[in-house]
Amino acid sequence: RDKIPHLPEIYADSNINLLLRRAKENRTVDIEEYETTGGYSALRKALNKFTPEDIIVLVEESTLRGRGGAGFPTGRKWRFVIQNPKPRYLICNADESEPGTFKDRIIIERDPHLLIEGMIISAYAIGAEKGFIYIRGEYPAGYMILENAINEAYERGYLGKNILGTDFSFDLYVYRGAGAYICGEETALIESLEGRRGHPRLKPPYPPQVGLFGRPTVVNNVETLSNIPIIVTYEQYFMHIGPAGYYGPKLFPVSGKVKKPGVYESTMDITLNELIDIAGGPIGKPKAVFSGALGVYHPDEFDTPMDYSPKGFGGTGTTIVLNEEDCIIDSLIVIANFFHHESCGKCTPCRVGTYEQFNILKKFQEGTATEKDLDLLIHLGKNIPIGSICGLGYSAPNAIMDAIRKFRDEFEAHINGKCPGGVCF
Ligand code: NAI
Ligand code: SF4
């Protein structure tokens, strides 16, 4: 324990106390405290009361969607995997690296047994005897905390052979990434786990068909798996948490121009305006919200709920607030630089296109861009995804294209030698 690096001070709060029930304070909950506050009772219930099929039905009915960003229905993914023969594997994607995204680390660093319990129940449901947590290299404390917590769980009989006296056995391993964003893409993650360079594979086949070591595999995000003990505990009552079809708690990492940046837990009927208010209110007048790499929102849209409906702001829930003193172009350059740096280089349109996006935005920042550069950005935005094979290439132009649609005046102003935020030139 002494070796664990200092945990960063991240404010966390919740109005529903489910995922963050034990994680609001900046300290790690050990197994004793976890058990005395109801921990591992969902696992006991799952093993004693439910068959694996019962749990898959519960998860399907819960409407739980993947919290890593794509929002794919978790029950459906599990249903796919059990159609394929054993051995099957379970992987937790803890390679959280989207710009402005720091929600999973709160669970990992403060309440690791919630994730571990969720993984054991999930493994029981899908018939996996081995599981892996792939954690990003930049979370050294999280890695050590998980290792300690897994050891504690083995000592108490929650992991290993014949868990809690049943015939279900499950081993869990932690694997540390080496700092590449692309390894959060599930097939690159699998390649990396297998000991190869983290390059994405072509999909389909999807991991539930052909995954780790060629076997059927479920890859779920930290927050998704941490919902499983809550679903098993609440059963049908889970469907009273939040709006119809988008039940359950959601974590929102909020940063930028708000008075109290941090991780907030809420139901998904919350709007961006409400989220900004909960985060202490804005600093200055909000101009835009960058949602990681997913998109850019205009204040006119701030009353839209943060759910996974076609018009909702689902995804990772990442909320970076910009105010009138910020420049849209300057902020886009950070995102463009990130993608250009993190592109794995396998597909030429992504490798070259992300570099060009960055270069063109720099021209806007320096005051040398013309209307032609705006056209070129749009051209790249349409074509990079077409020539790419993974989510990085698909989403690399999202924020830029959204910004051109919603803040075109900022681009035009830069062409005319003015920066509305007073940041550039
Ligand atoms: P995707 O939409 O291709 O797939 C989502 C999930 O559903 C995957 O696990 C996939 O295997 C599964 N799936 C989809 N169709 C399937 C089928 N027919 N059969 C079986 N399984 C199927 O999206 P992807 O590429 O996995 O993720 C992209 C998202 O990840 C984006 O929204 C991006 O913003 C987000 N992301 C989040 C990061 C973070 O730090 N949290 C980092 C990077 C990306
Ligand atoms: Fe690599 Fe980009 Fe191709 Fe994805 S789209 S495989 S990140 S080059």
Side-chain angles (χ1 to χ4, degrees):
R1 269 187 168 270
D2 289 341
K3 287 187 295 177
I4 292 174
H6 179 69
L7 296 181
E9 286 294 334
I10 299 176
Y11 185 77
D13 204 0
S14 169
N15 53 15
I16 48 175
N17 283 325
L18 291 165
L19 290 165
L20 294 188
R21 184 178 152 209
R22 302 179 192 85
K24 286 189 268 184
E25 285 174 41
N26 193 24
R27 65 191 182 86
T28 307
V29 168
D30 65 13
I31 198 158
E32 267 186 51
E33 184 178 349
Y34 188 70
E35 286 177 325
T36 52
T37 51
Y40 287 112
S41 56
L43 175 63
R44 278 179 207 282
K45 182 176 175 185
L47 297 183
N48 293 328
K49 181 175 172 190
F50 296 128
T51 64
E53 172 63 20
D54 292 337
I55 295 174
I56 293 181
V57 171
L58 266 184
V59 172
E60 284 172 332
E61 288 174 355
S62 75
T63 73
L64 179 68
R65 284 167 180 261
R67 306 295 204 236
F72 192 82
T74 306
R76 197 184 306 163
K77 195 185 280 189
W78 290 12
R79 182 68 65 197
F80 283 136
V81 86
I82 60 161
Q83 284 159 12
N84 297 304
K86 291 182 183 175
R88 304 181 194 121
Y89 294 116
L90 174 66
I91 297 176
C92 169
N93 187 342
D95 196 58
E96 158 177 83
S97 325
E98 194 92 333
T101 308
F102 48 94
K103 63 182 183 67
D104 293 340
R105 74 179 303 167
I106 293 288
I107 296 176
I108 294 167
E109 291 174 352
R110 300 184 184 180
D111 199 8
H113 286 286
L114 180 67
L115 169 62
I116 293 169
E117 185 177 12
M119 287 194 74
I120 304 169
I121 300 170
S122 305
Y124 171 66
I126 64 163
E129 292 203 343
K130 282 197 194 318
F132 302 84
I133 303 175
Y134 188 102
I135 184 164
R136 68 179 298 201
E138 296 88 338
Y139 284 176
Y143 171 73
M144 293 163 85
I145 287 167
L146 284 171
E147 288 248 293
N148 281 345
I150 287 172
N151 287 338
E152 289 178 331
Y154 270 106
E155 281 162 17
R156 303 270 170 128
Y158 297 122
L159 282 169
K161 288 226 170 308
N162 304 112
I163 293 172
L164 300 176
T166 66
D167 58 5
F168 169 60
S169 302
F170 181 60
D171 286 309
L172 185 55
Y173 308 88
V174 198
Y175 187 96
R176 220 178 142 191
Y181 170 72
I182 194 58
C183 287
E185 197 284 331
E186 57 180 0
T187 60
L189 185 158
I190 288 171
E191 288 280 310
S192 171
L193 256 186
E194 289 178 354
R196 280 191 290 276
R197 188 173 178 165
H199 271 180
R201 299 173 180 170
L202 277 175
K203 293 195 277 189
Y206 291 92
Q209 286 110 31
V210 181
L212 186 64
F213 305 120
R215 304 305 311 169
T217 303
V218 159
V219 185
N220 279 148
N221 161 268
V222 171
E223 186 186 341
T224 312
L225 291 162
S226 301
N227 262 279
I228 303 301
I230 299 169
I231 292 172
V232 169
T233 302
Y234 282 78
E235 297 183 51
Q236 305 308 318
Y237 292 104
F238 191 83
M239 271 89 91
H240 292 279
I241 307 167
Y246 305 103
Y247 301 118
K250 178 81 195 80
L251 297 182
F252 298 99
V254 186
S255 60
K257 300 295 168 54
V258 289
K259 291 181 187 140
K260 254 191 187 173
V263 176
Y264 293 87
E265 178 184 32
S266 171
T267 50
M268 279 182 272
D269 42 8
I270 193 168
T271 63
L272 264 179
N273 266 331
E274 289 164 344
L275 194 56
I276 292 170
D277 279 347
I278 288 177
I283 298 174
K285 191 171 174 224
K287 179 197 254 186
V289 162
F290 276 41
S291 184
L294 280 184
V296 176
Y297 304 123
H298 190 278
D300 292 349
E301 304 171 282
F302 284 8
D303 276 327
T304 310
M306 310 278 287
D307 63 23
Y308 290 102
S309 60
K311 284 193 174 166
F313 296 158
T316 48
T318 300
T319 303
I320 308 169
V321 181
L322 271 58
N323 73 13
E324 300 259 287
E325 288 176 8
D326 293 311
C327 166
I328 297 285
I329 309 284
D330 191 58
S331 308
L332 284 175
I333 286 177
V334 178
I335 304 273
N337 189 30
F338 175 82
F339 278 124
H340 140 61
H341 184 255
E342 297 294 343
S343 166
C344 81
K346 186 168 175 171
C347 322
T348 308
C350 171
R351 184 182 67 242
V352 178
T354 51
Y355 185 50
E356 286 309 318
Q357 283 185 325
F358 171 71
N359 283 335
I360 297 169
L361 286 170
K362 285 295 268 182
K363 284 176 80 178
F364 279 90
Q365 192 187 41
E366 287 156 7
T368 56
T370 65
E371 282 289 339
K372 265 193 174 170
D373 291 305
L374 196 47
D375 293 342
L376 197 50
L377 272 182
I378 295 169
H379 175 80
L380 286 170
K382 286 181 182 160
N383 286 289
I384 294 173
I386 295 172
S388 297
I389 68 157
C390 90
L392 191 153
Y394 302 152
S395 55
N398 277 355
I400 298 171
M401 294 295 269
D402 245 11
I404 294 175
R405 268 191 298 275
K406 299 172 189 175
F407 295 91
R408 198 179 173 105
D409 51 332
E410 293 248 345
F411 289 84
E412 314 246 320
H414 282 75
I415 290 171
N416 294 320
K418 279 194 193 130
C419 172
V423 176
C424 301
F425 316 128

